[in-house]
Each structure stands twice: as C-alpha cells, then as structure tokens.
Amino acid sequence: MMKINGDRLWDRLMEIAQIGGTPNGGVCRLTLSEEDKKGRLLFEDWCKGLGCSIRVDAMGNLFATYPGKDPYLPTLLLGSHLDSQPTGGKYDGVMGVLAGLEVIHTLHDQNYVPDRNIVVASWTNEEGARFTPAMIGSGVFSETFSLDYAYQQKDKEGITLHDALNSIGYKGTDSVKPNEFQYALELHIEQGPILEREEKQIGIVTGVQGIRWYDIHISGKECHAGPTPMDYRIDPMQSVPLLLTELYKISEVFGEDARITIGYIDASPAVKNTVPEKASISLDIRHPNEDQLTKMHEFVLSVIQTIDKESKSSIELEEIWHSESVVFDDNCVHAVQQASETLGYPHRRIISGAGHDSVYTSKVIPTSMIFIPCKDGLSHNELESAKKEDVIAGTNVLLHASLQLQHK
Ligand code: HGY
Ligand code: MN
Ligand code: MN
Ligand code: MN
C-alpha cells in the first residue's frame, strides 16, 4: 500500500518553521510579510523540483500544478495556508500545504502519473490576523468577496492588502477559476481537544461552524484624568464591564456549542492621563447551527441597544464578517472515511470549530477536510504541537482519499 515519506514531510515542516520562527518555538509569518514571502519561495522551490508549474492569482493565492495524464480533466485541489497568527504554531495551515506537496512527491517517487492534474494551493490571509476578514484569499477565489473589497482592506499600519501584495511581488496575473477543479481536500490540525481526548488519529470533517465578527464602538469625550470630576465625564471605559458581563452570558443562554471571544479592547488616544475619546471591543461569535448563530446575533444586538440607552457614551455595533456554517460534500467525506478505514487509523466524524479556506472552496468545489489531533487541543499559540505519527497518518489519509477521488 502506497505510503508517504514521513521523514521528508517532517523535515520540511521543521525547516519552514524556521522562517518567522519565534524564541518560544512558535511561528510569526503574517500574510504578505517578508517572512511569508520566504515561506512561499521555499514552497515554490520544492514544487518546481517535482516538475510542478506555478501560478499566482490577483490575490497572491499560489497554485502548484502536478501534471496528470489528461490535463483537460477537472483536477483535484489540495493545500491550505502558509500565513500564521502573530503567536502561531508550526502546524496551523502550513501542515496542509506541505502534506499536499508530500502527496505529489510520493506519487513522483513511485512514477505514478495521476489521471488528473493535482493542484496544491497556498491561500492568502487565511488567518485574518493582519487583514480582515479571515480566509479572504479563498473568499475572493470563490467570488464571496470582490477583488476591490479585498484590495482595500488595511492592516493596523494602514497598509492596504493591495500594496502588501505588491511589496512582496505576489500580485499575480494568472487566472485560476473554480470550474477547473473537481474536488478539494484540506488536511489541518483540529485546533481543539476532541480527537486527542478520544484518542482518535483522524477527524473526518463533515462541516464548519458559522462565524460572525464585529467591532463594538463606544464613543465618549476626551478629558483630563485629574481635574475632571467623575460625574463630569463621558467615559467609554465605564460601559465596558457591563458590556462584557452581558455579552459573556451568551454561553449560558446558547449552551456549550456557543463560542464568544473578545480578542482585544482598544482605546484612543490610549494614554494614562486622558479619559478616552473612544473604546472599541472586538467580538467573534460562533455556533455550528446557523439558526442559533442568528439568535446569538440578535442577543448581541439587544445587549448593545440596552446598554447604549443606559450609558452616557454612545455604543454602536459594526458588523464585519459573517461566514455561514457549511456542510461538506458526501463524496469527499466518504473518500476520507474510506481512506481512514483502509489505513486502519482510529477516526471519528467531527465539525470544525475553526474557519478554514475549505469553507470558501466548498462553495464552488465539492470539498472535505481531514483533521489530526494537536497537543492539549492548543492552537493560535506558540506551544501548538502535533505528533509526527499523526502528521504522517493524516497525510497518508490525504494521499489515499486523493487517489480515490482521482478515479471518480
Ligand atoms: O478564525 C479562524 O477560525 C481561522 O483560524 N481563520
Ligand atoms: Mn488554519
Ligand atoms: Mn489559524
Ligand atoms: Mn497636561
């Protein structure tokens, strides 16, 4: 039975982890940064070494094509993302890209020419850590977002995504359209505790939960921290404790599947001796059931309206992003299930708590994902880690599911 070369894959994972590597053993490879550029170039070199052609589209999405017998047949799309969180780990995203590369390298070793081309993609800005929203590269590919909308997105320094693409020479001109593809598969770490807790090596991902992002803007009035009596102030920070207390009640009201995350609280002018003019609170809510996510959205709206009425500051909710929950394609899910059974890896079906590029590829191409466990379910953390044997198992499943789908 064909198996991948685990040492080669592991060595590449450890090599690319040096690019943007952090002292705590994590990775900081923000999208379209110099580190991202270095990672992309290294990946391109590895692909070219296998005879792959490289295309780059207007969003800087990178596509390496391994030639099959009939280049006109709809092809198989593998891959994930090379960008990381600022305090990211060695596996989130990059493992899926290198696993796709390992699949074609294994076929190349065996002189096995697939019926159809196999394309390994690396999607731009999956993390949403630099530009909002997350998964914007695959979002434009699937025509969920326009190119103009994406190009205008700015990072914290005010650099547009368009200019960032140019700055690393990845504003491509190649046209890569969804109708080129027949199926898509993505390997990723689970980024949660379920597989590890249940001692399962493989997660057969049947779908992804819905996500909504907001910014809550609280406007007050700047004044001096010293002479201004408390009752003279319109202090936006005074609304924050009640807002957070009421918003966190979401998990009581909507149960254990509901997620609420306050990633940061900003203030301006953000100096110790000036009452802020404004405060803003980031908000990420998620639920596997879209109706429940809608009810959570309405809950957030009512909390904002109630507290806005009661406080001297004015409170506005800016809706930023809504990624609807998706259910993956039966054929693809079945191929992953069958590969896991054939290879004998302990497995279970699972819904993804994290967003992935597969959310957007699944809107235009039959898609599924494969998960492997990560230690303590930790991710978006420099301590993120996965077992070598699980990385190998996940990639073997990717290989065999790919071979199955090749013949569909
Ligand atoms: O937000 C997410 O779930 C993903 O990491 N972009
Ligand atoms: Mn990821
Ligand atoms: Mn991530
Ligand atoms: Mn002064």
Side-chain angles (χ1 to χ4, degrees):
M1 190 189 295
M2 209 191 284
K3 292 280 182 78
I4 60 120
N5 179 328
D7 290 342
R8 176 172 61 203
L9 170 57
W10 189 260
D11 291 350
R12 282 178 168 154
L13 259 176
M14 294 307 122
E15 182 177 345
I16 206 165
Q18 301 314 308
I19 301 174
T22 60
N24 300 338
V27 169
C28 177
R29 221 177 19 241
L30 289 185
T31 199
L32 307 181
S33 63
E34 281 306 311
E35 293 79 16
D36 184 22
K37 177 179 180 178
K38 285 192 196 112
R40 286 163 174 258
L41 292 172
L42 179 57
F43 171 62
E44 283 195 44
D45 276 352
W46 283 332
C47 292
K48 287 172 188 164
L50 293 172
C52 293
S53 57
I54 301 289
R55 287 176 290 168
V56 180
D57 72 7
M59 275 301 290
N61 295 316
L62 227 170
F63 301 89
T65 301
Y66 185 69
K69 287 183 191 117
D70 181 349
Y72 298 102
L73 283 176
T75 61
L76 174 66
L77 177 63
L78 306 179
S80 188
H81 61 92
L82 290 174
D83 68 310
S84 81
Q85 288 283 331
T87 53
K90 296 187 179 78
Y91 306 88
D92 178 357
V94 57
M95 182 188 69
V97 176
L98 297 191
L101 169 65
E102 180 51 35
V103 164
I104 54 179
H105 203 149
T106 300
L107 300 180
H108 185 268
D109 289 345
Q110 314 263 338
N111 298 311
Y112 178 102
V113 181
D115 297 345
R116 310 159 183 275
N117 291 351
I118 297 180
V119 171
V120 182
S122 168
W123 301 101
T124 295
N125 193 62
E126 187 281 343
E127 289 296 357
R130 183 175 177 192
F131 297 102
T132 294
M135 298 118 74
I136 202 167
S138 48
V140 170
F141 168 80
S142 62
E143 297 177 8
T144 307
F145 304 116
S146 72
L147 189 59
D148 282 350
Y149 166 78
Y151 275 3
Q152 292 160 26
Q153 299 310 307
K154 287 185 181 165
D155 67 8
K156 284 184 179 153
E157 275 69 53
I159 299 169
T160 62
L161 189 146
H162 174 270
D163 291 352
L165 276 169
N166 270 330
S167 70
I168 64 162
Y170 270 92
K171 183 184 166 192
T173 52
D174 294 315
S175 160
V176 184
K177 293 291 174 212
N179 62 12
E180 175 182 330
F181 302 101
Q182 184 191 32
Y183 292 114
L185 286 175
E186 179 177 6
L187 172 67
H188 206 287
I189 49 171
E190 179 202 337
Q191 301 179 294
I194 298 170
L195 294 177
E196 184 185 56
R197 192 173 58 208
E198 296 184 8
E199 295 182 348
K200 298 286 190 289
Q201 266 188 307
I202 301 292
I204 301 160
V205 190
T206 55
V208 183
Q209 70 176 339
I211 305 172
R212 281 179 176 261
W213 277 10
Y214 310 84
D215 272 333
I216 301 168
H217 300 295
I218 315 169
S219 307
K221 190 170 160 210
E222 279 163 292
C223 61
H224 201 301
T228 317
M230 295 310 282
D231 59 356
Y232 269 59
R233 299 179 184 203
I234 303 177
D235 176 358
M237 284 302 185
Q238 273 186 306
S239 307
V240 171
L242 182 59
L243 262 173
L244 296 189
T245 306
E246 291 307 308
L247 287 172
Y248 272 108
K249 284 182 182 164
I250 246 179
S251 41
E252 276 163 52
V253 175
F254 293 93
E256 62 171 7
D257 284 338
R259 300 282 185 275
I260 173 172
T261 305
I262 307 281
Y264 54 81
I265 299 175
D266 272 346
S268 70
V271 291
K272 283 187 172 50
N273 56 358
T274 297
V275 174
E277 179 227 358
K278 75 173 269 202
S280 47
I281 304 174
S282 76
L283 178 59
D284 173 320
I285 59 170
R286 305 190 188 202
H287 200 287
N289 175 298
E290 199 58 34
D291 292 343
Q292 287 292 81
L293 186 63
T294 305
K295 290 195 178 81
M296 287 165 68
H297 169 68
E298 288 155 2
F299 178 93
V300 169
L301 284 173
S302 73
V303 165
I304 301 292
Q305 281 155 9
T306 310
I307 299 176
D308 177 38
K309 275 198 203 100
E310 291 163 6
S311 80
K312 288 197 281 185
S313 306
S314 82
I315 305 174
E316 278 166 40
L317 182 70
E318 182 188 0
E319 295 185 43
I320 292 186
W321 179 44
H322 177 196
S323 168
E324 287 167 35
S325 57
V326 295
V327 176
F328 286 147
D329 169 76
D330 281 344
N331 259 335
C332 289
V333 169
H334 181 71
V336 173
Q337 174 99 30
Q338 199 146 31
S340 309
E341 286 164 0
T342 310
L343 290 157
Y345 296 129
H347 55 273
R348 62 156 276 173
R349 292 195 169 205
I350 192 169
I351 289 178
S352 174
H356 298 285
D357 293 304
S358 291
V359 166
Y360 287 127
T361 59
S362 72
K363 295 190 185 302
V364 287
I365 308 166
T367 298
S368 180
M369 292 183 75
I370 304 157
F371 275 174
I372 63 163
C374 49
K375 190 165 177 333
D376 305 332
L378 210 50
S379 182
H380 287 195
N381 183 309
E382 293 174 293
L383 298 176
E384 176 187 282
S385 80
K387 288 182 193 154
K388 182 175 178 180
E389 63 262 30
D390 292 344
V391 172
I392 293 169
T395 310
N396 277 325
V397 171
L398 184 69
L399 170 67
H400 283 264
S402 300
L403 292 173
Q404 270 186 65
L405 291 172
Q406 271 288 314
H407 300 308
K408 292 263 180 193

PDB file of all heavy atoms in Angstrom, residues 85 92 126-128 134-135 191 211 213 284 286 321 353-356 380, ligand 1:
ATOM      1  N   GLN A  85      -0.696  33.139  12.611  1.00  0.00           N
ATOM      2  CA  GLN A  85      -1.046  34.134  13.623  1.00  0.00           C
ATOM      3  C   GLN A  85       0.266  34.791  14.098  1.00  0.00           C
ATOM      4  O   GLN A  85       1.347  34.214  13.919  1.00  0.00           O
ATOM      5  CB  GLN A  85      -1.738  33.440  14.802  1.00  0.00           C
ATOM      6  CG  GLN A  85      -3.149  32.957  14.497  1.00  0.00           C
ATOM      7  CD  GLN A  85      -4.163  34.087  14.506  1.00  0.00           C
ATOM      8  OE1 GLN A  85      -4.008  35.091  15.199  1.00  0.00           O
ATOM      9  NE2 GLN A  85      -5.232  33.903  13.742  1.00  0.00           N
ATOM     10  N   ASP A  92      -0.494  24.875  12.061  1.00  0.00           N
ATOM     11  CA  ASP A  92      -1.721  25.515  11.569  1.00  0.00           C
ATOM     12  C   ASP A  92      -1.511  26.016  10.142  1.00  0.00           C
ATOM     13  O   ASP A  92      -0.702  26.912   9.911  1.00  0.00           O
ATOM     14  CB  ASP A  92      -2.063  26.684  12.516  1.00  0.00           C
ATOM     15  CG  ASP A  92      -3.289  27.458  12.076  1.00  0.00           C
ATOM     16  OD1 ASP A  92      -3.866  27.154  11.003  1.00  0.00           O
ATOM     17  OD2 ASP A  92      -3.687  28.371  12.808  1.00  0.00           O
ATOM     18  N   GLU A 126      -5.331  33.549   5.262  1.00  0.00           N
ATOM     19  CA  GLU A 126      -6.364  32.691   5.869  1.00  0.00           C
ATOM     20  C   GLU A 126      -6.621  33.162   7.296  1.00  0.00           C
ATOM     21  O   GLU A 126      -7.740  33.161   7.781  1.00  0.00           O
ATOM     22  CB  GLU A 126      -5.886  31.236   5.874  1.00  0.00           C
ATOM     23  CG  GLU A 126      -6.938  30.239   6.327  1.00  0.00           C
ATOM     24  CD  GLU A 126      -7.124  30.180   7.850  1.00  0.00           C
ATOM     25  OE1 GLU A 126      -6.245  30.656   8.587  1.00  0.00           O
ATOM     26  OE2 GLU A 126      -8.184  29.699   8.281  1.00  0.00           O
ATOM     27  N   GLU A 127      -5.549  33.578   7.994  1.00  0.00           N
ATOM     28  CA  GLU A 127      -5.692  33.818   9.430  1.00  0.00           C
ATOM     29  C   GLU A 127      -6.545  35.055   9.760  1.00  0.00           C
ATOM     30  O   GLU A 127      -7.132  35.135  10.831  1.00  0.00           O
ATOM     31  CB  GLU A 127      -4.312  33.968  10.086  1.00  0.00           C
ATOM     32  CG  GLU A 127      -3.527  32.694  10.183  1.00  0.00           C
ATOM     33  CD  GLU A 127      -4.187  31.650  11.069  1.00  0.00           C
ATOM     34  OE1 GLU A 127      -5.233  31.933  11.665  1.00  0.00           O
ATOM     35  OE2 GLU A 127      -3.686  30.532  11.130  1.00  0.00           O
ATOM     36  N   GLY A 128      -6.551  36.031   8.895  1.00  0.00           N
ATOM     37  CA  GLY A 128      -7.297  37.244   9.254  1.00  0.00           C
ATOM     38  C   GLY A 128      -6.606  37.987  10.378  1.00  0.00           C
ATOM     39  O   GLY A 128      -7.192  38.854  11.031  1.00  0.00           O
ATOM     40  N   ALA A 134     -10.830  37.026   7.802  1.00  0.00           N
ATOM     41  CA  ALA A 134     -10.013  35.829   7.596  1.00  0.00           C
ATOM     42  C   ALA A 134     -10.432  35.161   6.285  1.00  0.00           C
ATOM     43  O   ALA A 134     -11.501  35.426   5.739  1.00  0.00           O
ATOM     44  CB  ALA A 134     -10.225  34.871   8.776  1.00  0.00           C
ATOM     45  N   MET A 135      -9.570  34.290   5.762  1.00  0.00           N
ATOM     46  CA  MET A 135      -9.873  33.475   4.568  1.00  0.00           C
ATOM     47  C   MET A 135     -10.252  34.343   3.369  1.00  0.00           C
ATOM     48  O   MET A 135     -11.067  33.968   2.525  1.00  0.00           O
ATOM     49  CB  MET A 135     -10.992  32.469   4.882  1.00  0.00           C
ATOM     50  CG  MET A 135     -10.637  31.478   5.964  1.00  0.00           C
ATOM     51  SD  MET A 135     -11.708  31.613   7.409  1.00  0.00           S
ATOM     52  CE  MET A 135     -13.213  30.891   6.787  1.00  0.00           C
ATOM     53  N   GLN A 191      -7.179  21.822  16.228  1.00  0.00           N
ATOM     54  CA  GLN A 191      -7.118  23.088  16.988  1.00  0.00           C
ATOM     55  C   GLN A 191      -8.104  23.079  18.160  1.00  0.00           C
ATOM     56  O   GLN A 191      -8.465  24.132  18.678  1.00  0.00           O
ATOM     57  CB  GLN A 191      -7.383  24.296  16.067  1.00  0.00           C
ATOM     58  CG  GLN A 191      -6.372  24.379  14.931  1.00  0.00           C
ATOM     59  CD  GLN A 191      -6.627  25.542  14.003  1.00  0.00           C
ATOM     60  OE1 GLN A 191      -7.650  25.582  13.305  1.00  0.00           O
ATOM     61  NE2 GLN A 191      -5.705  26.484  13.954  1.00  0.00           N
ATOM     62  N   ILE A 211     -19.459  31.673  11.725  1.00  0.00           N
ATOM     63  CA  ILE A 211     -18.646  32.676  12.435  1.00  0.00           C
ATOM     64  C   ILE A 211     -19.209  34.058  12.134  1.00  0.00           C
ATOM     65  O   ILE A 211     -19.601  34.329  10.993  1.00  0.00           O
ATOM     66  CB  ILE A 211     -17.176  32.671  11.926  1.00  0.00           C
ATOM     67  CG1 ILE A 211     -16.554  31.282  12.015  1.00  0.00           C
ATOM     68  CG2 ILE A 211     -16.321  33.706  12.665  1.00  0.00           C
ATOM     69  CD1 ILE A 211     -15.164  31.177  11.342  1.00  0.00           C
ATOM     70  N   TRP A 213     -18.083  38.204  13.005  1.00  0.00           N
ATOM     71  CA  TRP A 213     -17.126  39.153  13.603  1.00  0.00           C
ATOM     72  C   TRP A 213     -17.776  40.539  13.675  1.00  0.00           C
ATOM     73  O   TRP A 213     -18.494  40.949  12.741  1.00  0.00           O
ATOM     74  CB  TRP A 213     -15.875  39.259  12.737  1.00  0.00           C
ATOM     75  CG  TRP A 213     -14.848  38.183  12.949  1.00  0.00           C
ATOM     76  CD1 TRP A 213     -14.996  37.028  13.676  1.00  0.00           C
ATOM     77  CD2 TRP A 213     -13.518  38.141  12.422  1.00  0.00           C
ATOM     78  NE1 TRP A 213     -13.843  36.281  13.617  1.00  0.00           N
ATOM     79  CE2 TRP A 213     -12.919  36.949  12.860  1.00  0.00           C
ATOM     80  CE3 TRP A 213     -12.769  38.994  11.603  1.00  0.00           C
ATOM     81  CZ2 TRP A 213     -11.609  36.580  12.534  1.00  0.00           C
ATOM     82  CZ3 TRP A 213     -11.463  38.635  11.269  1.00  0.00           C
ATOM     83  CH2 TRP A 213     -10.904  37.445  11.743  1.00  0.00           C
ATOM     84  N   ASP A 284     -15.995  37.994  18.393  1.00  0.00           N
ATOM     85  CA  ASP A 284     -16.067  36.825  17.483  1.00  0.00           C
ATOM     86  C   ASP A 284     -17.054  35.856  18.133  1.00  0.00           C
ATOM     87  O   ASP A 284     -16.831  35.430  19.263  1.00  0.00           O
ATOM     88  CB  ASP A 284     -14.654  36.214  17.374  1.00  0.00           C
ATOM     89  CG  ASP A 284     -14.581  34.888  16.606  1.00  0.00           C
ATOM     90  OD1 ASP A 284     -15.497  34.037  16.774  1.00  0.00           O
ATOM     91  OD2 ASP A 284     -13.609  34.678  15.859  1.00  0.00           O
ATOM     92  N   ARG A 286     -19.526  32.213  17.495  1.00  0.00           N
ATOM     93  CA  ARG A 286     -19.606  31.062  16.594  1.00  0.00           C
ATOM     94  C   ARG A 286     -20.614  30.050  17.115  1.00  0.00           C
ATOM     95  O   ARG A 286     -20.816  29.936  18.327  1.00  0.00           O
ATOM     96  CB  ARG A 286     -18.247  30.353  16.481  1.00  0.00           C
ATOM     97  CG  ARG A 286     -17.126  31.291  16.061  1.00  0.00           C
ATOM     98  CD  ARG A 286     -15.854  30.608  15.709  1.00  0.00           C
ATOM     99  NE  ARG A 286     -14.808  31.617  15.501  1.00  0.00           N
ATOM    100  CZ  ARG A 286     -13.706  31.406  14.791  1.00  0.00           C
ATOM    101  NH1 ARG A 286     -13.489  30.233  14.235  1.00  0.00           N
ATOM    102  NH2 ARG A 286     -12.814  32.378  14.640  1.00  0.00           N
ATOM    103  N   TRP A 321     -18.048  40.641   9.546  1.00  0.00           N
ATOM    104  CA  TRP A 321     -17.888  39.431   8.721  1.00  0.00           C
ATOM    105  C   TRP A 321     -18.867  38.366   9.185  1.00  0.00           C
ATOM    106  O   TRP A 321     -19.128  38.247  10.389  1.00  0.00           O
ATOM    107  CB  TRP A 321     -16.452  38.922   8.865  1.00  0.00           C
ATOM    108  CG  TRP A 321     -16.088  37.679   8.131  1.00  0.00           C
ATOM    109  CD1 TRP A 321     -16.407  37.351   6.841  1.00  0.00           C
ATOM    110  CD2 TRP A 321     -15.290  36.585   8.636  1.00  0.00           C
ATOM    111  NE1 TRP A 321     -15.866  36.133   6.509  1.00  0.00           N
ATOM    112  CE2 TRP A 321     -15.168  35.653   7.588  1.00  0.00           C
ATOM    113  CE3 TRP A 321     -14.670  36.325   9.841  1.00  0.00           C
ATOM    114  CZ2 TRP A 321     -14.446  34.462   7.726  1.00  0.00           C
ATOM    115  CZ3 TRP A 321     -13.957  35.157   9.996  1.00  0.00           C
ATOM    116  CH2 TRP A 321     -13.846  34.242   8.942  1.00  0.00           C
ATOM    117  N   GLY A 353     -14.483  23.641  14.465  1.00  0.00           N
ATOM    118  CA  GLY A 353     -14.760  24.856  15.248  1.00  0.00           C
ATOM    119  C   GLY A 353     -14.063  26.057  14.650  1.00  0.00           C
ATOM    120  O   GLY A 353     -14.476  27.204  14.825  1.00  0.00           O
ATOM    121  N   ALA A 354     -12.972  25.768  13.925  1.00  0.00           N
ATOM    122  CA  ALA A 354     -12.204  26.862  13.306  1.00  0.00           C
ATOM    123  C   ALA A 354     -12.656  27.058  11.866  1.00  0.00           C
ATOM    124  O   ALA A 354     -13.104  26.113  11.214  1.00  0.00           O
ATOM    125  CB  ALA A 354     -10.710  26.531  13.330  1.00  0.00           C
ATOM    126  N   GLY A 355     -12.514  28.274  11.385  1.00  0.00           N
ATOM    127  CA  GLY A 355     -12.756  28.531   9.970  1.00  0.00           C
ATOM    128  C   GLY A 355     -11.547  28.067   9.171  1.00  0.00           C
ATOM    129  O   GLY A 355     -10.439  27.993   9.709  1.00  0.00           O
ATOM    130  N   HIS A 356     -11.774  27.711   7.929  1.00  0.00           N
ATOM    131  CA  HIS A 356     -10.674  27.266   7.048  1.00  0.00           C
ATOM    132  C   HIS A 356     -10.966  27.702   5.624  1.00  0.00           C
ATOM    133  O   HIS A 356     -12.121  27.989   5.274  1.00  0.00           O
ATOM    134  CB  HIS A 356     -10.550  25.728   7.074  1.00  0.00           C
ATOM    135  CG  HIS A 356     -10.225  25.188   8.425  1.00  0.00           C
ATOM    136  ND1 HIS A 356      -8.969  25.273   8.983  1.00  0.00           N
ATOM    137  CD2 HIS A 356     -11.012  24.582   9.354  1.00  0.00           C
ATOM    138  CE1 HIS A 356      -8.995  24.732  10.191  1.00  0.00           C
ATOM    139  NE2 HIS A 356     -10.218  24.315  10.448  1.00  0.00           N
ATOM    140  N   HIS A 380      -3.144  28.552  17.674  1.00  0.00           N
ATOM    141  CA  HIS A 380      -3.085  30.016  17.818  1.00  0.00           C
ATOM    142  C   HIS A 380      -2.339  30.324  19.110  1.00  0.00           C
ATOM    143  O   HIS A 380      -2.692  31.191  19.894  1.00  0.00           O
ATOM    144  CB  HIS A 380      -4.486  30.671  17.817  1.00  0.00           C
ATOM    145  CG  HIS A 380      -5.106  30.669  16.455  1.00  0.00           C
ATOM    146  ND1 HIS A 380      -6.184  31.434  16.092  1.00  0.00           N
ATOM    147  CD2 HIS A 380      -4.788  29.974  15.344  1.00  0.00           C
ATOM    148  CE1 HIS A 380      -6.494  31.234  14.829  1.00  0.00           C
ATOM    149  NE2 HIS A 380      -5.670  30.327  14.350  1.00  0.00           N
TER     150      HIS A 380
HETATM  151  O1  HGY B   1     -10.711  32.245  12.592  1.00  0.00           O
HETATM  152  C1  HGY B   1     -10.473  31.064  12.332  1.00  0.00           C
HETATM  153  O2  HGY B   1     -11.158  30.174  12.800  1.00  0.00           O
HETATM  154  C2  HGY B   1      -9.331  30.690  11.411  1.00  0.00           C
HETATM  155  O3  HGY B   1      -8.180  30.447  12.178  1.00  0.00           O
HETATM  156  N1  HGY B   1      -9.093  31.701  10.421  1.00  0.00           N
END
